[in-house]
Amino acid sequence: MPYVDGFVLAVPKDKIEAYKALANAACAIWMEHGALDYVECIGDDVPYGELTSFPRAVMAKEDEIVVFAWIVYRDRATRDAVNKKVMADPRLKLDGMPFDGKRMIYGGFTTLLRASDIAG
């Protein structure tokens, strides 16, 4: 089953184009180094919950939009190898990010279920 890295972050609305450029570059780098898929989504229907929500999780401000993203790998070992190569790649510039990385939530996940595995 595939391994997935997931991310949730808040991007200032006036920096969406800069974030899009970063995402395009990051996508190319991750895919080149062996990721199977790379997806970035901009919040469209992301309500601010009373107790929990995506905006609360990343402490999104009024002028920010939530981004939900994931990267798919063949397995955990591949993910670890790909991320090592990506972090060493000089094309990935981690300084000057168009978002506050301290409020980004991320983690690695083993796949529990995929529709393609259970479809009859």
Side-chain angles (χ1 to χ4, degrees):
M1 293 287 255
Y3 194 83
V4 177
D5 276 339
F7 308 88
V8 180
L9 56 134
V11 177
K13 292 176 182 175
D14 65 349
K15 294 186 178 179
I16 290 295
E17 287 306 312
Y19 183 81
K20 185 177 178 181
L22 171 67
N24 276 304
C27 177
I29 292 168
W30 255 273
M31 296 300 290
E32 179 182 317
H33 288 301
L36 299 176
D37 199 5
Y38 184 107
V39 179
E40 297 262 1
C41 305
I42 297 289
D44 179 56
D45 182 17
V46 188
Y48 194 90
E50 288 185 32
L51 197 56
T52 62
S53 65
F54 282 109
R56 279 188 179 278
V58 294
M59 297 181 286
K61 300 171 187 168
E62 285 286 322
D63 66 338
E64 294 179 324
I65 192 161
V66 175
V67 171
F68 177 55
W70 64 92
I71 305 169
V72 180
Y73 310 89
R74 187 180 65 212
D75 52 33
R76 169 75 189 266
T78 302
R79 176 263 208 158
D80 292 346
V82 168
N83 281 344
K84 185 175 182 178
K85 291 176 188 174
V86 167
M87 292 303 131
D89 194 308
R91 295 173 294 171
L92 185 65
K93 297 180 180 83
L94 296 177
D95 56 321
M97 293 294 218
F99 64 93
D100 181 359
K102 293 177 185 171
R103 293 186 286 135
M104 179 173 70
I105 297 170
Y106 60 91
F109 300 84
T110 57
T111 301
L112 175 67
L113 175 85
R114 285 189 319 178
S116 61
D117 292 335
I118 61 173

